[in-house]
């Protein structure tokens, strides 16, 4: 198998220069005994687009949630960029999170949903409104500020969710299979728009998916995981230039990359 332009030197997995997030020997064992994540070492660098790829149950979400501070490791450490301390003295992590479900407040408009993180931070209302409206425009929802979630399509709700994740302009945006429930055409469009947003806003994107095609289309780097216990099996660079578009999606280069990553995933699952 040709992997010439896909390998990442092993030392970079554990010790590249000045990572934004450092995951060191991290494990997670749940109360019921499940070892969901085992001894993961990962550095996430500024401006990367990284996919965590693997079959269901390999610990992708558990790892992502620990990076977000939603659940702590049972072994190892995670270091993040912070933006000061919150009211209880805890360090505030400079990151946004997008769940698989848009998790919008049904009683609030799109604008009010996106304003929420700003309001919680004590940003005054007029400024919060302005910043939330600008973010909605950036995700392609100008004119939908007053719409309620029930009035929006699945793709539009996910755009609101992404706007909410980015409204504090975090250094890192963590996404947990955000497009899994969408139809293919909407998913492709959101993939394109997410790449454009990432390119413009220059945040670090960490994207959980079990789709080889999606991971290759989006990522600069793919971390392949395997289950029982959940662990990192390969850490690969996707050396195809951005911007990526329909031409890339239908190119022999894309097909080749998908074949290589698919092979890596099979190897990981079989191990
Ligand atoms: P993935 O995101 O790759 O599908 P998860 O991180 O959701 O995988 O789950 C990894 C493993 O941990 C699975 O075996 C899952 O059943 C188990 N798991 C996840 N959350 C919990 C929990 N809260 N309590 C016990 N086991 C859990």
């Amino acid at each position: 198998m040709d992997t010439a332009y896909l390998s990442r030197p092993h030392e970079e997995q554990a010790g590249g220069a000045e990572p934004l997030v450092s995951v060191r020997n991290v494990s997670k064992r749940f109360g019921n005994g499940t070892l969901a994540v085992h001894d993961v070492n990962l550095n996430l660098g500024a401006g990367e687009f990284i996919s965590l790829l693997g079959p269901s149950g390999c610990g992708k979400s558990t790892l992502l949630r620990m990076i977000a501070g939603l659940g702590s490791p049972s072994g190892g450490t995670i270091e993040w960029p912070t933006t000061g301390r919150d009211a209880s003295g805890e360090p505030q992590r400079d990151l946004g999170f997008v769940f698989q479900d848009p998790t919008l407040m049904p009683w609030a408009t799109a604008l009010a949903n996106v304003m929420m993180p700003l309001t919680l931070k004590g940003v005054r209302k007029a400024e919060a409104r302005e910043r939330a409206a600008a973010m909605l425009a950036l995700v392609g929802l100008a004119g939908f500020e007053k719409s309620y979630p029930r009035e929006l399509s699945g793709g539009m709700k996910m755009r609101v969710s992404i706007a909410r994740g980015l409204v504090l302009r975090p250094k890192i945006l963590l996404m947990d299979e955000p497009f899994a429930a969408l139809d293919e055409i909407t998913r492709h469009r959101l993939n394109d728009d997410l790449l454009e947003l990432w390119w413009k806003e220059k945040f670090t994107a960490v994207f959980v998916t079990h789709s080889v095609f999606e991971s290759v289309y989006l990522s600069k780097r793919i971390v392949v995981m395997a289950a029982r216990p959940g662990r990192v099996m390969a850490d690969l660079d996707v050396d195809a230039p951005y911007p990526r578009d329909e031409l890339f999606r239908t190119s022999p280069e894309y097909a080749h990359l998908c074949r290589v990553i698919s092979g890596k995933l099979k190897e990981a699952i079989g191990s």
Side-chain angles (χ1 to χ4, degrees):
M1 186 189 299
D2 176 13
T3 56
Y5 51 105
L6 277 166
S7 56
R8 170 169 283 261
H10 181 72
E11 58 275 15
E12 272 188 30
Q13 295 172 21
E18 295 207 28
L20 212 49
V21 174
S22 238
V23 176
R24 299 240 174 275
N25 306 107
V26 162
S27 296
K28 176 73 179 186
R29 188 181 289 281
F30 286 106
N32 63 0
T34 303
L35 185 57
V37 172
H38 176 63
D39 198 23
V40 167
N41 285 289
L42 213 51
N43 281 335
L44 310 181
E48 289 195 292
F49 198 120
I50 302 153
S51 285
L52 303 180
L53 172 72
S56 277
C58 72
K60 305 182 293 295
S61 295
T62 304
L63 180 59
L64 194 78
R65 293 172 69 84
M66 287 193 290
I67 292 173
L70 303 167
S72 45
S74 33
T77 55
I78 302 179
E79 285 162 25
W80 323 255
T82 57
T83 55
R85 296 191 173 263
D86 66 16
S88 56
E90 284 292 306
Q92 284 190 326
R93 295 173 188 113
D94 191 2
L95 46 85
F97 200 97
V98 177
F99 295 90
Q100 183 166 351
D101 187 90
T103 62
L104 303 179
M105 299 179 291
W107 61 87
T109 62
L111 187 71
N113 268 286
V114 178
M115 281 171 68
M116 201 233 333
L118 296 162
T119 312
L120 289 175
K121 267 207 148 214
V123 175
R124 64 192 173 78
K125 217 167 175 179
E127 185 189 335
R129 194 174 291 125
E130 200 173 299
R131 285 169 64 180
M135 194 45 77
L136 273 176
L138 211 55
V139 298
L141 286 182
F144 291 91
E145 295 82 1
K146 291 182 180 160
S147 301
Y148 286 88
R150 65 176 177 276
E151 298 168 324
L152 301 173
S153 68
M156 290 160 98
K157 280 191 265 211
M158 194 41 82
R159 287 175 190 272
V160 176
S161 180
I162 291 171
R164 184 184 53 194
L166 283 175
V167 76
L168 294 174
R169 304 272 170 170
K171 284 204 174 81
I172 306 172
L173 186 66
L174 304 167
M175 292 165 276
D176 192 359
E177 300 206 52
F179 308 142
L182 303 175
D183 67 80
E184 197 178 336
I185 295 168
T186 307
R187 189 172 181 158
H188 284 183
R189 193 170 302 142
L190 276 160
N191 281 167
D192 287 338
D193 291 353
L194 174 62
L195 277 187
E196 203 181 317
L197 204 56
W198 167 73
W199 192 252
K200 259 195 224 152
E201 298 293 303
K202 304 191 184 346
F203 52 87
T204 296
V206 187
F207 191 94
V208 162
T209 181
H210 54 249
S211 162
V212 168
F213 302 106
E214 192 172 42
S215 69
V216 171
Y217 189 71
L218 293 174
S219 316
K220 261 188 182 194
R221 179 179 167 198
I222 299 177
V223 173
V224 180
M225 296 181 67
R228 280 175 292 279
R231 62 208 187 279
V232 172
M233 301 301 292
D235 191 335
L236 308 161
D237 285 330
V238 181
D239 200 8
Y242 293 93
R244 296 180 186 168
D245 53 18
E246 212 43 41
L247 220 59
F248 175 59
R249 211 195 289 279
T250 50
S251 67
E253 184 189 15
Y254 176 67
H256 170 74
L257 287 163
C258 289
R259 202 159 48 241
V260 173
I261 296 290
S262 220
K264 284 281 172 194
L265 188 60
K266 266 203 196 110
E267 262 175 54
I269 293 169
S271 62

